[in-house]
């Protein structure tokens, strides 16, 4: 059975209420439940973690080093956190970067991801399905 860590960054705990026109009405708990169900159907298991702090995310990435893969929505940290980039580069687990919205179609400061070069791939703009696509990529190599 594959073990996948799902790590979510700042403000994602507010999904469902936070800017629903951009991020949708699904809650993080709802997305996690959907992923757990899909993972079980694909012979995998997920652990879920969310933090609003950069250090908490770095620690979670380091703890997940032995997982078969990591789904990471670093949220705003995507665009400037060298600490997250270095944590991803330091571990052996493949990381898929996900975003609910299409960051390339938003404000210019969201167009650059400093973590993308050290991730296996990036999936953005498909709402909660972005997570499912990442899970599929990690469980069906």
């Amino acid at each position: 059975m594959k073990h996948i860590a799902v790590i979510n960054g700042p403000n994602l705990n507010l999904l469902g209420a936070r800017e629903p026109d951009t991020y949708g009405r699904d809650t993080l708990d709802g997305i996690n439940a959907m992923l757990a169900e899909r993972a079980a159907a694909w012979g995998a298991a997920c652990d879920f973690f969310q933090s609003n702090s950069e250090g908490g995310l770095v620690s979670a990435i380091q703890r997940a080093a032995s997982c078969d893969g990591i789904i990471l929505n670093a949220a705003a940290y995507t665009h400037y956190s060298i600490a997250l980039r270095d944590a991803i580069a330091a571990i052996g687990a493949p990381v898929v970067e996900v975003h609910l919205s299409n960051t390339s179609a938003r404000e210019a400061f969201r167009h650059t991801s400093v973590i993308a070069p050290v991730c296996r791939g990036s999936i953005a703009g498909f709402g909660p399905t972005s997570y499912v696509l990442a899970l599929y990529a990690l469980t069906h190599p």
Side-chain angles (χ1 to χ4, degrees):
M1 176 176 284
K2 292 200 174 200
H3 183 213
I4 307 298
V6 181
I7 301 173
N8 284 285
N11 298 309
L12 291 169
N13 56 307
L14 300 176
L15 286 177
R18 175 186 175 219
E19 300 177 68
D21 290 342
T22 300
Y23 300 108
R25 298 206 181 276
D26 292 295
T27 65
L28 186 57
D29 286 341
I31 292 169
N32 289 346
M34 174 190 61
L35 279 177
E37 183 178 312
R38 192 65 57 102
W42 290 338
C46 293
D47 288 332
F48 300 98
F49 178 82
Q50 188 277 327
S51 178
N52 292 318
S53 73
E54 187 176 28
L57 296 170
V58 168
S59 294
I61 290 166
Q62 291 173 357
R63 282 191 305 273
S66 62
C67 290
D68 295 299
I70 298 171
I71 298 170
L72 174 64
N73 185 340
Y77 289 130
T78 297
H79 313 293
Y80 68 88
S81 178
I82 303 306
L84 290 182
R85 183 240 173 260
D86 290 350
I88 295 165
I91 64 167
V95 177
V96 177
E97 171 188 8
V98 299
H99 298 284
L100 294 163
S101 67
N102 179 355
T103 55
S104 294
R106 297 185 59 200
E107 304 92 341
F109 69 86
R110 296 186 197 275
H111 295 181
T112 301
S113 168
V114 299
I115 65 172
V118 293
C119 289
R120 174 163 294 171
S122 301
I123 301 170
F126 297 101
T129 303
S130 294
Y131 287 87
V132 176
L133 294 169
L135 179 64
Y136 185 87
L138 291 169
T139 57
H140 294 79

